[in-house]
Amino acid sequence: MANNVLDPSALVGLLINLLPPTSKTLTSPHDGLAALVHTAFSALSFRLIATDDTSSAKEHPNNVLPDDWNTKGLVDRTFRYRHDQSGLEFVVKVIKLGQRTLISAIAVESDKSVSLDVATNDFVSPSFYPYDAAKSDAPPLVHGFISSNRVTDFISQLKLKIIQKLIPGLRKEGYIEETDDSSSNAGPAPRAENPPPARPRRPDSPPYSDEPYHLPPGLRPRNPLEIGRRDLDPFGGINPFQPPSLFPGSGGDGMFVGPDHPIFGTRGNRREMRGPWGGDGYLPPMGAPPGARFDPIGPNPGPFNPSFNGRPRRGPPGSGDPDNDEFMPPGAGDMFM
């Protein structure tokens, strides 16, 4: 297997050879990062043709930088390249933005631009510069980039964000494209602030608790001795021959389902428990659209209000009967069916 063409030690050694022969000096951390970017492109066989936006294209032997490469802009360093595997011209700018460095690149003929923004001091050591490689006692250049691991991290981002997007599928011995694993490092999806309720709520009333045996507001608990007594009294206490109840106030819940049965809501002085769509209020919203031929779940609210939600009933007032719009199914009178 071929050696990594972008190995940190190889890049740092190549960088010194790409500096101008007459001035092998890096005056600032910005120049250090810019020279490292140029070194990476040179290692991948990009051909340097200019170091500004206006000069005519010309070849630079071995991609060695000209003497004025870092004097043509106050905050930016410009490199223009061509590559044998593409017919496009590439412009790469390394721009100083305060404590950050912005690397922007574009394939001129296709208007395809990419960028990479990094914190400058994450990849260079400011106290190391200026650096003069021509001095006999010059420290190792890798210290100017903190460490070899920092060089590796920077080149990895440069490949992923810049090089691979300018020339996808670049073929070079010892070159392997990076894979974007940012999705695997992403945190869990944020939870919804207002998740939908598990079941419809009673309209115009406080939400009910999910605790078992929770009574709605305004409904008093029954006497526990009354539980099951109505099974022996189908008429729910309305039998005139029945002696009075030992526990008054608990009538209306027998097996005889009349207008006052609790399944249709409470009556009298107690709060009305009926929902606006009939029954116990759990009919889905718009379950009975306005004007629909719909029989409400419960009887009329009372003998003095022969209507259901403001709509007149067609049954006898106060009778508790449903609307008179039911018909026998076809053939229901046929004794052979």
Side-chain angles (χ1 to χ4, degrees):
M1 182 177 180
N3 293 330
N4 181 9
V5 69
L6 296 179
D7 179 76
S9 58
L11 289 177
V12 172
L14 178 61
L15 189 156
I16 296 176
N17 294 329
L18 295 179
L19 293 175
T22 59
S23 176
K24 291 187 176 294
T25 303
L26 298 173
T27 60
S28 66
H30 182 222
D31 281 352
L33 274 184
L36 184 59
V37 170
H38 171 62
T39 303
F41 276 82
S42 299
L44 296 176
S45 301
F46 283 83
R47 303 191 314 275
L48 180 68
I49 60 175
T51 56
D52 58 25
D53 295 306
T54 58
S55 299
S56 57
K58 67 176 183 179
E59 295 293 332
H60 290 70
N62 300 321
N63 273 14
V64 174
L65 293 169
D67 294 337
D68 59 350
W69 74 276
N70 58 352
T71 61
K72 296 182 179 180
L74 295 177
V75 296
D76 66 294
R77 304 290 180 259
T78 302
F79 307 100
R80 290 162 52 193
Y81 300 101
R82 289 192 178 275
H83 199 281
D84 293 339
Q85 297 180 24
S86 174
L88 305 178
E89 178 181 325
F90 305 99
V91 177
V92 180
K93 288 183 176 289
V94 184
I95 305 169
K96 179 182 179 182
L97 296 175
Q99 299 299 316
R100 303 191 68 84
T101 297
L102 176 64
I103 304 167
S104 297
I106 186 172
V108 177
E109 291 81 1
S110 68
D111 287 339
K112 181 179 180 180
S113 63
V114 291
S115 63
L116 170 63
D117 179 16
V118 299
T120 305
N121 291 345
D122 284 351
F123 300 100
V124 294
S125 176
S127 61
F128 183 82
Y129 300 91
Y131 170 77
D132 187 358
K135 291 183 177 180
S136 58
D137 58 347
L141 179 57
V142 69
H143 294 169
F145 303 106
I146 303 177
S147 68
S148 296
N149 290 337
R150 292 279 76 194
V151 175
T152 301
D153 293 341
F154 177 76
I155 294 302
S156 176
Q157 293 189 45
L158 184 68
K159 288 168 58 179
L160 184 63
K161 302 294 185 181
I162 303 292
I163 299 173
Q164 291 178 191
K165 294 184 178 181
L166 290 178
I167 303 185
L170 176 65
R171 300 183 303 277
K172 175 72 175 179
E173 186 178 2
Y175 170 75
I176 301 176
E177 291 191 338
E178 296 286 329
T179 57
D180 189 358
D181 58 352
S182 59
S183 58
S184 62
N185 297 329
R191 298 177 59 183
E193 294 183 1
N194 297 313
R199 63 178 180 178
R201 291 180 177 176
R202 290 177 183 264
D204 302 328
S205 64
Y208 291 88
S209 172
D210 291 331
E211 297 179 1
Y213 314 116
H214 180 80
L215 294 176
L219 187 63
R220 294 177 298 177
R222 295 178 52 187
N223 191 315
L225 299 179
E226 289 288 281
I227 298 175
R229 193 180 69 84
R230 287 305 185 191
D231 292 342
L232 304 177
D233 182 15
F235 292 98
I238 63 175
N239 187 348
F241 301 103
Q242 178 182 341
S245 174
L246 296 177
F247 303 98
S250 61
D253 63 344
M255 289 183 289
F256 177 77
V257 182
D260 292 331
H261 197 279
I263 66 173
F264 300 127
T266 57
R267 300 292 194 274
N269 296 328
R270 302 173 70 180
R271 187 170 65 91
E272 176 70 37
M273 298 299 295
R274 181 193 304 278
W277 298 287
D280 62 355
Y282 280 106
L283 188 67
M286 297 306 295
R293 293 171 60 85
F294 173 76
D295 289 332
I297 295 175
N300 280 328
F304 301 104
N305 184 22
S307 65
F308 180 74
N309 291 340
R311 300 195 298 273
R313 297 287 300 272
R314 288 189 289 275
S319 66
D321 295 332
D323 294 348
N324 297 324
D325 59 357
E326 294 84 10
F327 298 96
M328 299 295 289
D334 189 347
M335 61 180 294
F336 298 102
M337 289 189 63

